[in-house]
Amino acid sequence: MMHTLEKIAAAGIATVLMALQAHAQDTAAGQKLFQQRCGACHQIDSTRNGVGPHLQGVVGRSAGSVDGFRYSTAMQGSGITWDAAQLDTFLTNPGGLVKGTRMTQRFAKADERQAIIDFLATR
Ligand code: HEC
């Protein structure tokens, strides 16, 4: 028979495992959304630039800093360091945060932005 403390510990481990699994699912959903919404213009598993700069390591990166990509002067001079909050604001309305940016797509769904940003943070 299981001791009460062991039961509590087992329940705790089960909760952690469930949380990890849920997080892995979110990341997979974020990856899929990234491919659908951003993949035409941005690479993330390679450092090749396309229509947009590659986004490898973008969380914590200075805006406009990828070598070899021709940014707008607006992006280059923005002074932003990308974190989750700045990315959320940018994706909601790029031109609202960086007036004159060449990225014009807006992403209206907060849950999708969240999933994509969580995914970006894993790369
Ligand atoms: C139609 C093409 C296109 C799509 C789709 C697109 N972007 Fe962009 N993105 C760009 C361009 C072009 C730039 C460069 C903007 C500039 O220089 O002003 C850019 C810049 C960025 C930057 C700034 C990067 C840096 O190095 O400072 C981030 C972050 C970004 N995009 C994220 C995303 C995400 C996330 C998505 C999908 C939700 C997305 N973009 C969809 C074209 C696109």
Side-chain angles (χ1 to χ4, degrees):
M1 197 182 147
M2 257 195 181
H3 196 273
T4 310
L5 271 177
E6 287 172 339
K7 278 189 197 160
I8 292 168
I13 290 166
T15 307
V16 168
L17 287 176
M18 275 162 54
L20 283 174
Q21 198 177 27
H23 188 255
Q25 279 166 4
D26 288 352
T27 303
Q31 180 164 26
K32 197 171 167 201
L33 282 167
F34 176 85
Q35 293 310 339
Q36 291 169 344
R37 308 276 189 264
C38 326
C41 299
H42 293 287
Q43 299 274 329
I44 191 152
D45 285 327
S46 95
T47 53
R48 265 183 297 128
N49 297 318
V51 175
H54 80 78
L55 294 180
Q56 205 164 89
V58 70
V59 177
R61 197 167 90 185
S62 301
S65 67
V66 168
D67 276 347
F69 184 79
R70 287 194 56 189
Y71 289 97
S72 61
T73 48
M75 186 62 76
Q76 272 177 333
S78 69
I80 291 169
T81 299
W82 295 118
D83 61 15
Q86 299 270 38
L87 285 166
D88 192 60
T89 305
F90 183 66
L91 296 179
T92 304
N93 177 12
L97 182 66
V98 183
K99 195 172 183 298
T101 178
R102 285 195 286 111
M103 178 166 149
T104 53
Q105 288 70 19
R106 296 183 189 196
F107 300 91
K109 293 185 181 160
D111 57 333
E112 288 196 3
R113 289 196 308 271
Q114 186 63 58
I116 290 170
I117 293 164
D118 284 351
F119 167 68
L120 293 176
T122 67
R123 291 300 192 273

